Amino acid sequence: MVKHLIDFNDISVERWEKIHKLAVDIKNNPEKYAEECKGKILATLFYEPSTRTMLSFQTAMLRLGGSVIGFDNPSNSSVSKGENLKDTIAIVSSYVDLLVMRHPLEGAAMAASMFSSKPVINAGDGGHLHPTQTLTDLTTIMLEKGKLTGLNIGFCGDLKNGRTVHSLLKAFLRYKGNKFYFISTKKLNIPDYLLEKLKETDNEFVFAETLEECMGDIDVLYMTRIQRERFDSEKEYLKQKGVFILDTEKMEKAKKDLIVLHPLPKVDEIDIEVDDDPRAKYFEQAENGVYVRMALIMTLLSENNEELSYNFSEKRECSNPKCITQTERYLKTVVDEDDREFCKYCNHKLI
Ligand code: NCD
């Protein structure tokens, strides 16, 4: 059992199934779990804005009878005085039982886990990964479709910077027989490292430039917003904004049993009228986020977890300017054990 949740695939399929079943039981019988985490403390350290992820984690811990500390704005903490991540994490992990962290840099959660004496949950590291959104997404798909195979799954919007897309696609690489539709502009398409991994599996994929051309085929449509904060300039963002909009006209072309998901917040990519279509499941999806996070907290707090070991390299550096190793300079390079050309923190190429 791995102690932290940094990348969704840290959890085996069997372990995920247990967490999913527990989440469904919590959803149906919440009162049974009201004292499960009595006396335990969760820290939520949010270096980047959040509504659902932070509030759903806090709600989850409170509904389990535990308590919560933390910050939602690093300028209110010693980070604003220049404290490094290592010190913040070492101290907070000596206070609490479990840490949830969101950070704008890629690989930050993995870095935090290396200095934490307690389990760390990645609540989003830059444009990289967001494993607990994936727990939410998979449970919602299971509840709506009853399976994770044999589906036509459309990902639409900012597939380059959308960490929820990266985490969910990585999770789907462990299943067979799905077909993926990447609906995006050339600039915002899915990263090469994920396409390479996808090619090694028994799943088909196609690229599409419009929603119309694949609307009739799709079973699960995963809409995302264009990630304004990840662009180098406002001008670049404006060029990409508003290209894909799901409206009632497009919904008419879709299957009767389509489900529309969105990690939220949505900006302008889903017309507000679509909210009333019974196939729009994104508000249920957000509610499921509380139950899966309750199940995850219980699981991580109840297991005896092993320490991880790392493949360090003194000679190499990461090529990604948004990697945590670029700012927290004391971090040693860690080589990915599956492909030694890649950085373990953020999955970009090493130089
Ligand atoms: C997402 C995120 O932060 O990556 N939101 C969320 O956690 N539900 C999606 C987004 O911000 O677009």
Side-chain angles (χ1 to χ4, degrees), residues 181-245:
Y181 296 72
F182 297 120
I183 309 148
S184 182
T185 61
K186 286 205 169 61
K187 276 236 149 108
L188 296 185
N189 228 315
I190 198 88
D192 285 343
Y193 86 91
L194 285 170
L195 284 183
E196 290 306 318
K197 287 195 192 306
L198 184 53
K199 282 182 199 155
E200 292 163 16
T201 69
D202 278 336
N203 294 287
E204 264 183 82
F205 64 94
V206 291
F207 296 100
E209 284 180 9
T210 63
L211 267 166
E212 285 88 343
E213 66 194 84
C214 42
M215 212 54 208
D217 295 335
I218 291 176
D219 302 305
V220 177
L221 177 59
Y222 197 88
M223 293 296 295
T224 62
R225 79 183 162 94
I226 307 300
Q227 306 270 305
R228 183 184 203 153
E229 69 279 24
R230 313 257 178 249
F231 282 76
D232 292 333
S233 71
E234 181 71 5
K235 203 170 138 206
E236 287 301 313
Y237 165 69
L238 292 174
K239 278 193 216 158
Q240 299 291 335
K241 181 183 177 292
V243 178
F244 301 102
I245 296 187

Side-chain angles (χ1 to χ4, degrees), residues 52-53 102 130 133 163-164 225 227 263-265:
R52 266 150 300 272
T53 307
R102 171 171 286 188
H130 192 346
Q133 183 63 45
R163 55 193 172 196
T164 63
R225 79 183 162 94
Q227 306 270 305
L264 304 176

Side-chain angles (χ1 to χ4, degrees), residues 38-92:
K38 211 170 162 203
K40 300 285 182 194
I41 305 178
L42 168 77
T44 52
L45 308 182
F46 277 65
Y47 293 76
E48 220 189 30
S50 169
T51 307
R52 266 150 300 272
T53 307
M54 193 181 73
L55 294 182
S56 63
F57 262 115
Q58 295 181 345
T59 306
M61 192 54 166
L62 295 172
R63 290 220 180 275
L64 290 168
S67 311
V68 180
I69 62 162
F71 56 77
D72 57 7
N73 183 346
S75 56
N76 295 337
S77 77
S78 282
V79 175
S80 65
K81 300 179 191 166
E83 183 169 70
N84 66 26
L85 186 67
K86 177 175 180 281
D87 291 0
T88 309
I89 297 300
I91 301 303
V92 176

Side-chain angles (χ1 to χ4, degrees), residues 20 29 33 44 68 119 126 149 186-187 220 222-223 226 240 253 318 324 337 339 342 348 350:
H20 165 70
N29 309 288
Y33 297 90
T44 52
V68 180
T149 54
K186 286 205 169 61
K187 276 236 149 108
V220 177
Y222 197 88
M223 293 296 295
I226 307 300
Q240 299 291 335
K253 297 199 172 75
C318 184
I324 188 73
E337 56 275 10
D339 189 337
F342 287 85
H348 281 67
L350 291 171

